[in-house]
Amino acid sequence: MQAQTGDLLPQTFRDWFAERGWSPRAHQIDLLSRVGAGRSVLLIAPTGAGKTLAGFMPSLVDLASRPKPRPGEMARGVHTLYISPLKALAVDIQRNLERPIGEMGLPVSIENRTGDTPQHKRQRQKLAPPDIMLTTPEQLALLIASKDAGRFFSDLRRVILDELHSLVTSKRGHLLSLGLARLRTMRPGLQTIGLSATVAEPDGLRKWLVGQDQAGQMADIIQVVGGAKPEITILESEERVSWAGHSARYAIPEIYDAIRRHRTTLLFVNTRSQAELLFQELWRVNEDCLPIALHHGSLDAGQRRRVEKAMATNSLRAIVATSTLDLGIDWGDVDFVVHVGAPKGASRLAQRIGRSNHRMDEPSRAILVPANRFEVLECEAALEANYLGAQDTPPLGEGALDVLAQHVLGTACAAPFRGDELYDEVRSAAPYARLDRETFDRVVDFVATGGYALRAYERYARIRLTADGTWRISHPRVAQQYRLNVGTIIEAPMLNVRLTRQRGKGTVARGGPVLGKIEEGFLESLSPGETFLFSGKVLAFEGIRENECIVSSAPGRDAKVPYYAGGKFPLSTYLAEQVRAMVAEPARWRALPDQVTDWLRLQKEKSVLPGRSDLLVETFPRADRYYMVAYPFEGRLAHQTLGMLLTRRMERAGARPLGFVASEYALAVWSLRDLGRMFRTKEMSLSALFDQDMLGDDLEAWLDESYLLKRAFRNCALISGLIEKRHPGQEKTGRQVTVSSDLIYDVLRSHEPDHVLLQATRADAAAGLLDVRRLGEMLSRIKGRIVHKNLDRISPLAVPVMLEIGKERITGDADDALLAETADEIFSEATDR
């Protein structure tokens, strides 16, 4: 290996390693060799194995030996693109790369370009590109849609894709794959390097990295085994674990104690509202005044950068974060990770705990803090999965048609294109490899006319076919609108939150800092004077002025918690199966806390335990209602869809259902008729009720009546460019966007039901909002395996989901106490105590 290292690494690099007492790792040299031979490579390696340096080393070696430009020579194009799923990760990588570049004195320029980069810097980068540009999928889409894209990318040799597993499974990944296909057309010899620590199916990523002009083409793969096993525990609190909810308030003193005992602690939660609540609760008990910070995507970019800088200089003892910091970031001396709430996936857990002791030969240390009793089971399943090395990253899907429409328009913004050539290019991207020509032509026609039902309206004619057979944009303003609206991340409509001083009753001063953005729908639910938590502060709502939310400081007052529409993770199929197995097998309860095992034993005594492959359905009366509780353990999305379809069937059977509630683990339906008796007398059949045919006509009828498809259509319309949220100097409100999309949806449903955007909408709803595939697999699994238990009272296992019925948002200690009191009453009823 030494000879090979000497042949591949220039002396400058060998000296740099030697001065630090290091030597290049075998996989770093292997990757350098394969890239030198012209191959694209997928590198899978554990946290701390030097993936980032391995990915950049071929480019650094190239650039170190590249001749300097002669006087008067035109500026070179960018040599290497680095694509990151997170803006924060791009900033972190720049800081970490600048050190070895500076220490070796390499003539290499490196800059980042994200949504936070000032406009003047972006313009300068287009005229004088850096050697290495660190960017995001959205910025790449903008760059390739530029008229000077050919010059900008004229020297491009490589694209490095970090945390590849998190990029490829979403619409961002579809847009990125199309961007790479465009780059391969511009630069036929382009190489790609994919970096990842958690991969369930490597071959899918290997195909994604290279053009699929010929079936079966794949990148090389380098897999690194080994690394220290992480040390993870589950908090066994002296306090009583909650029956339901997601706040984990019971564990705050123990979480704070863990912060005190470590140098720097990273605390992960699953939603931004949980982050605000946890941050506030920690400061409430922070008697040592430890520097604890908050980081999530809705905060102002300046505040996020200040937190990141403080973390890099080890100025913080703890930081509360969402997924904005869970990928690849190596900041500061983080020696402990606290995960509050269940991780929802084995791969996500591995990714997050890898932020602790970010070195391959030192174990990451973490503790999981379940927010409720079912989450104890999920945390234990995730812990077992981690020690087994199990991965559950979602599979790659077919490319979305609304994303393709956006790309078609972006291609025309850069230069006229021919349909045949673009079709071949699009099919070289792995998600679109099976795209048929008819569908492609329908997408192009949609971009050109809006479709049959909208072609009479000139505003939807964004490209036109010219006499020379090429497609061109219909007006220069189309390109301007595209640049303002590019991307696939659709969040709920947001308003800036501006902090002002209160001048007197009913009046506030103008001006003040912007703290970040909050969903418009949440703010519209507030009345002046009502308070909420945001940016780590208790704020009083003063009103909405010129599309900004005006707030004043309200320290010491009770507060609501902002509701964020995004950021909720589904329970992975793998963990769901493991939780079912754990409940069904008492031998596995030894690892669980006493209060959880006692709960499961009581369930076994008072009712039955759900079998691993069975569906337990309990029926019982309570007050003046009759309840049915099922335990599929398939996640909230699948359960919500199941609830909507079951209640339709129950209504037809005369059961008179009144409503349902779904959790990650169970589904409860309540009605006016005795459901247990209806099942017992065969007036209503359980097997027929849960038959797979509900995913046929029942699903279609419900979708036609529900608002859900309109919601999905709104997102597809925004991504495809049919509706534009941003215009020069102004932005549509969420209500304006919704009204526009609803009107178009109704027109298309009536006059063009096979419209390509309705096709995209139904695909989105089935995969995301409804989780139809998972529900179908569950219905198939339980066929002939439904276990009905008719009870005279609520069962112990039903207590958590019953607490969800009619539950209001928990906003303070008094509400926690009330919830605990209610839980005690219901549990006493279930156990006859």
mmCIF file of all heavy atoms in Angstrom, residues 207-227:
data_model
loop_
_atom_site.group_PDB
_atom_site.id
_atom_site.type_symbol
_atom_site.label_atom_id
_atom_site.label_comp_id
_atom_site.label_asym_id
_atom_site.label_seq_id
_atom_site.Cartn_x
_atom_site.Cartn_y
_atom_site.Cartn_z
ATOM 1 N N LYS A 207 -26.579 2.830 -9.376
ATOM 2 C CA LYS A 207 -27.217 3.162 -10.652
ATOM 3 C C LYS A 207 -27.519 4.657 -10.726
ATOM 4 O O LYS A 207 -27.365 5.292 -11.771
ATOM 5 C CB LYS A 207 -28.509 2.364 -10.821
ATOM 6 C CG LYS A 207 -28.301 0.880 -11.043
ATOM 7 C CD LYS A 207 -29.643 0.161 -11.167
ATOM 8 C CE LYS A 207 -29.449 -1.337 -11.356
ATOM 9 N NZ LYS A 207 -30.747 -2.058 -11.410
ATOM 10 N N TRP A 208 -27.954 5.217 -9.603
ATOM 11 C CA TRP A 208 -28.350 6.623 -9.566
ATOM 12 C C TRP A 208 -27.170 7.531 -9.909
ATOM 13 O O TRP A 208 -27.349 8.600 -10.504
ATOM 14 C CB TRP A 208 -28.884 6.937 -8.162
ATOM 15 C CG TRP A 208 -29.638 8.214 -8.047
ATOM 16 C CD1 TRP A 208 -30.984 8.394 -8.116
ATOM 17 C CD2 TRP A 208 -29.079 9.512 -7.826
ATOM 18 N NE1 TRP A 208 -31.303 9.722 -7.950
ATOM 19 C CE2 TRP A 208 -30.151 10.425 -7.763
ATOM 20 C CE3 TRP A 208 -27.783 9.993 -7.659
ATOM 21 C CZ2 TRP A 208 -29.961 11.788 -7.566
ATOM 22 C CZ3 TRP A 208 -27.583 11.359 -7.468
ATOM 23 C CH2 TRP A 208 -28.673 12.239 -7.412
ATOM 24 N N LEU A 209 -25.977 7.118 -9.557
ATOM 25 C CA LEU A 209 -24.795 7.964 -9.722
ATOM 26 C C LEU A 209 -24.327 8.093 -11.172
ATOM 27 O O LEU A 209 -23.569 9.018 -11.492
ATOM 28 C CB LEU A 209 -23.630 7.426 -8.878
ATOM 29 C CG LEU A 209 -23.664 7.734 -7.380
ATOM 30 C CD1 LEU A 209 -22.591 6.944 -6.654
ATOM 31 C CD2 LEU A 209 -23.494 9.227 -7.125
ATOM 32 N N VAL A 210 -24.723 7.196 -12.041
ATOM 33 C CA VAL A 210 -24.210 7.216 -13.414
ATOM 34 C C VAL A 210 -25.367 7.247 -14.405
ATOM 35 O O VAL A 210 -26.501 6.887 -14.083
ATOM 36 C CB VAL A 210 -23.308 5.986 -13.696
ATOM 37 C CG1 VAL A 210 -22.079 6.016 -12.802
ATOM 38 C CG2 VAL A 210 -24.074 4.685 -13.493
ATOM 39 N N GLY A 211 -25.078 7.661 -15.633
ATOM 40 C CA GLY A 211 -26.097 7.712 -16.664
ATOM 41 C C GLY A 211 -26.612 6.329 -17.016
ATOM 42 O O GLY A 211 -25.839 5.368 -17.092
ATOM 43 N N GLN A 212 -27.923 6.231 -17.212
ATOM 44 C CA GLN A 212 -28.544 4.949 -17.530
ATOM 45 C C GLN A 212 -28.822 4.830 -19.031
ATOM 46 O O GLN A 212 -29.836 4.276 -19.443
ATOM 47 C CB GLN A 212 -29.832 4.795 -16.722
ATOM 48 C CG GLN A 212 -29.620 4.710 -15.228
ATOM 49 C CD GLN A 212 -28.730 3.536 -14.836
ATOM 50 O OE1 GLN A 212 -29.069 2.381 -15.073
ATOM 51 N NE2 GLN A 212 -27.569 3.836 -14.240
ATOM 52 N N ASP A 213 -27.887 5.365 -19.840
ATOM 53 C CA ASP A 213 -28.031 5.253 -21.292
ATOM 54 C C ASP A 213 -28.056 3.791 -21.707
ATOM 55 O O ASP A 213 -28.704 3.412 -22.688
ATOM 56 C CB ASP A 213 -26.864 5.963 -21.983
ATOM 57 C CG ASP A 213 -26.669 7.376 -21.449
ATOM 58 O OD1 ASP A 213 -25.908 7.515 -20.469
ATOM 59 O OD2 ASP A 213 -27.287 8.305 -21.988
ATOM 60 N N GLN A 214 -27.303 2.967 -20.979
ATOM 61 C CA GLN A 214 -27.323 1.530 -21.194
ATOM 62 C C GLN A 214 -27.785 0.877 -19.896
ATOM 63 O O GLN A 214 -27.288 1.206 -18.816
ATOM 64 C CB GLN A 214 -25.935 1.013 -21.577
ATOM 65 C CG GLN A 214 -25.415 1.592 -22.889
ATOM 66 C CD GLN A 214 -23.993 1.129 -23.183
ATOM 67 O OE1 GLN A 214 -23.472 0.233 -22.535
ATOM 68 N NE2 GLN A 214 -23.385 1.752 -24.175
ATOM 69 N N ALA A 215 -28.723 -0.028 -19.982
ATOM 70 C CA ALA A 215 -29.298 -0.651 -18.788
ATOM 71 C C ALA A 215 -28.218 -1.348 -17.969
ATOM 72 O O ALA A 215 -27.313 -1.982 -18.514
ATOM 73 C CB ALA A 215 -30.378 -1.647 -19.196
ATOM 74 N N GLY A 216 -28.328 -1.219 -16.651
ATOM 75 C CA GLY A 216 -27.435 -1.947 -15.759
ATOM 76 C C GLY A 216 -26.141 -1.250 -15.417
ATOM 77 O O GLY A 216 -25.327 -1.790 -14.673
ATOM 78 N N GLN A 217 -25.915 -0.038 -15.952
ATOM 79 C CA GLN A 217 -24.677 0.679 -15.623
ATOM 80 C C GLN A 217 -24.690 1.071 -14.152
ATOM 81 O O GLN A 217 -25.691 1.550 -13.635
ATOM 82 C CB GLN A 217 -24.530 1.919 -16.504
ATOM 83 C CG GLN A 217 -24.262 1.603 -17.956
ATOM 84 C CD GLN A 217 -23.853 2.854 -18.722
ATOM 85 O OE1 GLN A 217 -22.730 2.985 -19.160
ATOM 86 N NE2 GLN A 217 -24.785 3.781 -18.871
ATOM 87 N N MET A 218 -23.558 0.881 -13.479
ATOM 88 C CA MET A 218 -23.457 1.205 -12.064
ATOM 89 C C MET A 218 -22.076 1.783 -11.757
ATOM 90 O O MET A 218 -21.091 1.451 -12.412
ATOM 91 C CB MET A 218 -23.690 -0.032 -11.187
ATOM 92 C CG MET A 218 -25.106 -0.553 -11.214
ATOM 93 S SD MET A 218 -25.468 -1.709 -9.853
ATOM 94 C CE MET A 218 -24.508 -3.124 -10.354
ATOM 95 N N ALA A 219 -22.032 2.630 -10.746
ATOM 96 C CA ALA A 219 -20.755 3.134 -10.249
ATOM 97 C C ALA A 219 -20.043 2.034 -9.476
ATOM 98 O O ALA A 219 -20.666 1.075 -9.001
ATOM 99 C CB ALA A 219 -20.992 4.345 -9.350
ATOM 100 N N ASP A 220 -18.716 2.157 -9.333
ATOM 101 C CA ASP A 220 -17.973 1.258 -8.451
ATOM 102 C C ASP A 220 -18.434 1.478 -7.017
ATOM 103 O O ASP A 220 -19.013 2.525 -6.684
ATOM 104 C CB ASP A 220 -16.472 1.540 -8.544
ATOM 105 C CG ASP A 220 -15.858 1.049 -9.847
ATOM 106 O OD1 ASP A 220 -16.616 0.536 -10.686
ATOM 107 O OD2 ASP A 220 -14.635 1.201 -10.017
ATOM 108 N N ILE A 221 -18.157 0.513 -6.173
ATOM 109 C CA ILE A 221 -18.520 0.653 -4.762
ATOM 110 C C ILE A 221 -17.329 0.314 -3.878
ATOM 111 O O ILE A 221 -16.576 -0.629 -4.152
ATOM 112 C CB ILE A 221 -19.732 -0.246 -4.395
ATOM 113 C CG1 ILE A 221 -20.156 -0.012 -2.943
ATOM 114 C CG2 ILE A 221 -19.435 -1.713 -4.657
ATOM 115 C CD1 ILE A 221 -21.467 -0.665 -2.574
ATOM 116 N N ILE A 222 -17.125 1.130 -2.854
ATOM 117 C CA ILE A 222 -16.125 0.875 -1.818
ATOM 118 C C ILE A 222 -16.870 0.882 -0.489
ATOM 119 O O ILE A 222 -17.490 1.891 -0.132
ATOM 120 C CB ILE A 222 -15.023 1.950 -1.794
ATOM 121 C CG1 ILE A 222 -14.288 2.001 -3.142
ATOM 122 C CG2 ILE A 222 -14.040 1.683 -0.663
ATOM 123 C CD1 ILE A 222 -13.303 3.151 -3.249
ATOM 124 N N GLN A 223 -16.848 -0.226 0.213
ATOM 125 C CA GLN A 223 -17.517 -0.321 1.505
ATOM 126 C C GLN A 223 -16.479 -0.501 2.610
ATOM 127 O O GLN A 223 -15.633 -1.396 2.531
ATOM 128 C CB GLN A 223 -18.515 -1.483 1.529
ATOM 129 C CG GLN A 223 -19.782 -1.173 0.749
ATOM 130 C CD GLN A 223 -20.850 -2.241 0.932
ATOM 131 O OE1 GLN A 223 -20.805 -3.284 0.304
ATOM 132 N NE2 GLN A 223 -21.819 -1.954 1.796
ATOM 133 N N VAL A 224 -16.556 0.343 3.615
ATOM 134 C CA VAL A 224 -15.623 0.293 4.737
ATOM 135 C C VAL A 224 -16.343 -0.332 5.921
ATOM 136 O O VAL A 224 -17.416 0.135 6.327
ATOM 137 C CB VAL A 224 -15.129 1.709 5.108
ATOM 138 C CG1 VAL A 224 -14.154 1.641 6.269
ATOM 139 C CG2 VAL A 224 -14.492 2.368 3.900
ATOM 140 N N VAL A 225 -15.794 -1.399 6.450
ATOM 141 C CA VAL A 225 -16.386 -2.047 7.624
ATOM 142 C C VAL A 225 -15.574 -1.668 8.851
ATOM 143 O O VAL A 225 -14.457 -1.175 8.754
ATOM 144 C CB VAL A 225 -16.421 -3.582 7.455
ATOM 145 C CG1 VAL A 225 -17.320 -3.962 6.305
ATOM 146 C CG2 VAL A 225 -15.012 -4.131 7.234
ATOM 147 N N GLY A 226 -16.154 -1.933 9.987
ATOM 148 C CA GLY A 226 -15.431 -1.643 11.226
ATOM 149 C C GLY A 226 -15.895 -0.341 11.845
ATOM 150 O O GLY A 226 -16.978 0.162 11.569
ATOM 151 N N GLY A 227 -15.030 0.211 12.667
ATOM 152 C CA GLY A 227 -15.397 1.384 13.437
ATOM 153 C C GLY A 227 -15.933 0.969 14.791
ATOM 154 O O GLY A 227 -16.492 -0.117 14.950
#
